[in-house]
Amino acid sequence: MTEFAPDPALRAKTRIQRENEEKILDAALEVFSAEGFRGSTIDRIAQEAGMSKPNLLYYFRSKEEIYRAVLDATLDGWLDPLRRMDPAGEPLEEIRAYLRRKLEMSRENPRASRLFANEVIRGAPLIVEELTGALKALVDEKAAVIEGWIAAGRLAPVDPRHLLFAIWATTQHYADFQVQVQAVLSADAGAAIDGAQGFLDTLFLRALAPG
Amino acid sequence: MTEFAPDPALRAKTRIQRENEEKILDAALEVFSAEGFRGSTIDRIAQEAGMSKPNLLYYFRSKEEIYRAVLDATLDGWLDPLRRMDPAGEPLEEIRAYLRRKLEMSRENPRASRLFANEVIRGAPLIVEELTGALKALVDEKAAVIEGWIAAGRLAPVDPRHLLFAIWATTQHYADFQVQVQAVLSADAGAAIDGAQGFLDTLFLRALAPG
DNA sequence: GTCTATAAAGAGATAGAC
DNA sequence: GTCTATCTCTTTATAGAC
């Protein structure tokens, strides 16, 4: 009786495979977020991941495959803060909580923010479908929620989509333009975000308070 | 008597020189603003400028020299909108006018905005001095103006530096994230900025109105 | 799974003719 | 001032030994 030997392509990943793929994705995020797709090299990523270039290419067949993988992995969690905006919640409190979550993402994972910024600035060639598809759909859904709040007199009348743009822009600014923020404030990134929190609460909650 | 023959290095630029340098700088802005420094190639810029690579390198000795030239040329006008904020003006009106000027820059020259975004995202290696020098000085100066308005009770109390960040972030967003904005709104860039104008007036003026 | 060696293409920059 | 040809270095990707 022969031993059970599944097709290698279907076999679950080994521990070492998982670890190396993770190391590569982390290294790729580091490099791609700083230099964009075309400005990054496999060599830099391999170096950052602590392995040789051919070894890296054993796990991912090409530079673009690495890029897509890190972009997908990051995209996955990117929309969560907005998804969690609760139609049943208190409007101003929901806005405040959303601001918090976005600001925390700029604090905890500024590289993800910069990765997207780079991708979108160059025209988002690899994620246009997500933008016109999943993103637009989610924005439409939440815009309707916000419009409902406005119609109920629980929020001052504003354009909900431009409101979301403003929240994205102001919170992601602390990740994407980190060095500029630090230069102007002579403060580290964490302190800058601490300061931003109070300011953004004031800005948005004052403007959105009904009546 | 010999004819007057000035040192060629000191001679004024010919018409063809000026025209070609201008064509190169415009092409360089187009390419660098989309792909960043490392992601851009001299070949692409030459093609965009309608000349051969060696011919382009006749006018600029290296890729970095072109990049510095286009960055300097753009930096030059970048801070003008803030410089024009008038301490003697009516505070809310000065804020509104500043918003207008910044939005118009996103409309008229989105490439300049993206050029800086790319540069700052990668850590601003070539303009750190401008950031900690000229930019910080100008921000300090205008922050003092804003604080004066607040102290006089003519503006609601907010952190002036974070206020400037918020104005930069929200207005430049329409240039830097143009494709995302268009995807979400299903509108062209001009229409998006038209809509942004009303929203941003509401957001900032409501939040900043004293009392 | 990881390495050295290398093929092949891309990209920065120069030489030299016109 | 502009071109073709080319040198050189970088970078992507593969071959094949271990």
Side-chain angles (χ1 to χ4, degrees):
Chain A
M1 194 164 175
T2 62
E3 201 154 352
F4 177 63
D7 180 344
L10 297 175
R11 191 160 44 207
K13 286 172 185 174
T14 66
R15 182 182 52 82
I16 204 165
Q17 266 177 327
R18 265 184 289 103
E19 282 178 5
N20 274 337
E21 285 182 11
E22 211 162 304
K23 262 196 291 183
I24 292 169
L25 289 178
D26 186 68
L29 178 57
E30 179 68 27
V31 177
F32 283 132
S33 68
E35 292 289 352
F37 176 71
R38 298 209 46 197
S40 301
T41 68
I42 298 180
D43 234 344
R44 253 313 301 294
I45 297 170
Q47 187 188 341
E48 196 79 26
M51 67 182 71
S52 68
K53 186 163 51 171
N55 197 15
L56 186 154
L57 286 168
Y58 170 79
Y59 290 98
F60 295 88
R61 287 136 111 107
S62 70
K63 180 179 165 180
E64 181 164 338
E65 196 173 294
I66 311 169
Y67 184 68
R68 283 186 185 275
V70 67
L71 202 55
D72 284 351
T74 312
L75 253 175
D76 207 36
W78 191 243
L79 297 179
D80 278 348
L82 182 53
R83 283 198 199 94
R84 290 170 54 196
M85 180 182 277
D86 182 6
E90 202 284 305
L92 288 179
E93 189 45 50
E94 288 300 316
I95 299 287
R96 187 207 306 272
Y98 181 44
L99 279 169
R100 276 285 183 299
R101 292 193 291 271
K102 286 290 292 175
L103 224 32
E104 282 319 300
M105 291 199 74
S106 282
R107 190 199 301 272
E108 300 298 332
N109 200 359
R111 299 180 306 174
S113 189
R114 290 192 283 260
L115 183 78
F116 285 122
N118 264 314
E119 174 67 11
V120 175
I121 286 173
R122 69 168 183 145
L126 267 61
I127 58 168
V128 258
E129 280 143 53
E130 275 84 355
L131 298 185
T132 56
L135 177 67
K136 183 178 186 331
L138 181 61
V139 167
D140 284 346
E141 176 199 330
K142 297 303 182 182
V145 169
I146 294 170
E147 265 157 1
W149 288 338
I150 292 170
R154 305 173 71 194
L155 214 59
V158 293
D159 183 302
R161 288 173 184 81
H162 286 287
L163 171 61
L164 293 176
F165 293 156
I167 292 174
W168 298 345
T170 51
T171 55
Q172 290 168 202
H173 185 81
Y174 292 90
D176 302 343
F177 291 76
Q178 189 178 106
V179 298
Q180 179 174 280
V181 167
Q182 289 176 312
V184 166
L185 296 182
S186 304
D188 66 34
I193 292 179
D194 290 342
Q197 195 165 295
F199 170 79
L200 293 178
D201 278 357
T202 305
L203 176 67
F204 286 100
L205 300 185
R206 276 187 147 227
L208 293 173
Chain B
M1 197 160 169
T2 64
E3 200 154 355
F4 177 63
D7 180 343
L10 297 175
R11 192 160 43 206
K13 286 172 184 173
T14 66
R15 182 182 53 84
I16 204 163
Q17 267 177 328
R18 266 185 287 104
E19 281 179 4
N20 274 337
E21 285 182 10
E22 212 162 302
K23 263 196 291 183
I24 292 168
L25 289 178
D26 186 67
L29 178 57
E30 179 69 27
V31 177
F32 283 131
S33 67
E35 291 290 351
F37 177 70
R38 297 207 47 195
S40 301
T41 67
I42 298 181
D43 237 344
R44 251 316 298 294
I45 298 169
Q47 188 188 339
E48 196 80 26
M51 66 182 72
S52 68
K53 184 162 56 170
N55 196 16
L56 186 153
L57 287 166
Y58 169 79
Y59 290 98
F60 295 89
R61 288 136 111 107
S62 71
K63 179 179 167 180
E64 181 164 339
E65 196 173 296
I66 311 169
Y67 185 67
R68 285 187 183 275
V70 67
L71 202 53
D72 284 351
T74 312
L75 254 176
D76 206 34
W78 192 242
L79 298 179
D80 277 348
L82 183 52
R83 283 199 199 94
R84 291 171 53 195
M85 181 182 276
D86 182 6
E90 201 284 306
L92 288 180
E93 190 45 48
E94 287 300 317
I95 300 286
R96 188 207 305 271
Y98 181 43
L99 279 169
R100 276 286 183 298
R101 291 193 291 270
K102 287 290 292 174
L103 267 183
E104 283 318 302
M105 291 198 72
S106 282
R107 190 200 300 272
E108 301 298 332
N109 200 359
R111 301 181 305 175
S113 189
R114 292 193 283 259
L115 183 77
F116 284 123
N118 264 314
E119 174 69 11
V120 175
I121 285 173
R122 69 168 183 147
L126 268 59
I127 58 167
V128 257
E129 282 144 50
E130 275 84 356
L131 297 185
T132 57
L135 177 67
K136 184 181 185 326
L138 180 61
V139 167
D140 285 346
E141 176 199 331
K142 296 304 181 182
V145 169
I146 294 169
E147 265 156 1
W149 288 338
I150 293 169
R154 305 174 70 195
L155 213 59
V158 293
D159 184 301
R161 287 172 186 82
H162 287 286
L163 171 61
L164 292 177
F165 292 157
I167 293 173
W168 298 345
T170 51
T171 55
Q172 292 170 22
H173 186 80
Y174 293 90
D176 301 343
F177 291 75
Q178 188 178 106
V179 298
Q180 180 174 278
V181 166
Q182 289 176 314
V184 166
L185 296 182
S186 305
D188 67 34
I193 292 179
D194 290 342
Q197 196 166 295
F199 170 79
L200 293 178
D201 278 357
T202 306
L203 176 67
F204 285 99
L205 299 185
R206 277 186 147 229
L208 293 173

